[in-house]
Amino acid sequence: AMWFPQAPFTDAKYWSGNIQQRIQAVPLEDQARTLYGLADLLQIEGHWTRAMTLLPLLRATAQETGDWWSEAMSLWYDCYQFERIEGNFARAEPVYERMLRLLSRDRLCQAWAEDWYGRALIAAGETECAIQLLDHALHVWTESDILWTNVGGTAYTLQYLAQAYTARQDFLTA
């Protein structure tokens, strides 16, 4: 069940202050996910730079505890920073590859990563590689009967595939 707060959250900036000490009060197995949640809340509130400052601690905690999902999500932030904000796909590409390797432990997580990486490949002009990734993601979403979620599904993947085929001027397939 979803939990919907009846009152607004306290500003996440408050919670991120002195985080290295505060996180010690959280059980070790929950620390990486807690740090990810805080980083996510900060960026949603518009504090991208502050969210990015949590990544070294998030990544170290995730690696220490074996939380591959949280480590991969920290890499997503790097991909977004490098590719979308800095416009440097060459810097983002090895990070996308590492994120994809980590998320390949779960089919749906892998499909999500393939969607993001495929979209980035299209933007970088690497449509053939993008199509391969996106075809696999589409297979997973279709087989799992997931049309749309806030993080992926056949609707997103079909949109990205249409962009890839359009980029290579294969309008009939698009």
Side-chain angles (χ1 to χ4, degrees):
M2 294 289 292
W3 177 76
F4 294 100
Q6 298 301 311
F9 286 109
T10 303
D11 189 343
K13 291 185 295 183
Y14 167 79
W15 293 106
S16 63
N18 200 16
I19 190 63
Q20 290 187 337
Q21 182 179 357
R22 287 177 184 270
I23 198 65
Q24 297 308 312
V26 175
L28 184 61
E29 65 273 11
D30 297 327
Q31 287 181 9
R33 299 264 172 134
T34 300
L35 288 165
Y36 169 73
L38 180 57
D40 209 35
L41 182 58
L42 282 164
Q43 67 92 10
I44 288 168
E45 290 183 346
H47 307 292
W48 179 262
T49 302
R50 184 166 265 184
M52 293 296 288
T53 65
L54 293 177
L55 295 187
L57 179 60
L58 166 55
R59 195 167 294 127
T61 304
Q63 289 171 348
E64 178 184 335
T65 60
D67 186 342
W68 55 269
W69 184 88
S70 294
E71 182 180 355
M73 293 302 99
S74 76
L75 295 172
W76 175 86
Y77 276 96
D78 286 340
C79 290
Y80 195 92
Q81 174 69 35
F82 301 154
E83 187 233 334
R84 301 293 284 275
I85 294 175
E86 297 174 12
N88 187 344
F89 178 73
R91 188 172 178 202
E93 189 167 27
V95 184
Y96 274 116
E97 292 283 342
R98 186 169 166 213
M99 182 180 74
L100 186 58
R101 279 193 304 277
L102 282 169
L103 292 177
S104 68
R105 299 172 187 196
D106 177 278
R107 292 176 63 245
L108 296 177
C109 289
Q110 180 178 351
W112 172 84
E114 288 169 339
D115 277 349
W116 268 95
Y117 189 18
R119 184 210 45 78
L121 287 165
I122 295 164
E126 298 181 28
T127 56
E128 296 309 314
C129 292
I131 289 169
Q132 289 178 359
L133 283 175
L134 294 168
D135 278 341
H136 182 264
L138 182 62
H139 173 76
V140 171
W141 295 127
T142 303
E143 187 178 81
S144 301
D145 202 25
I146 297 175
L147 178 61
W148 182 90
T149 70
N150 62 328
V151 296
T154 57
Y156 285 111
T157 307
L158 287 170
Q159 175 188 345
Y160 299 147
L161 278 167
Q163 290 172 349
Y165 285 113
T166 299
R168 74 175 200 190
Q169 298 190 7
D170 184 352
F171 302 113
L172 185 59
T173 305

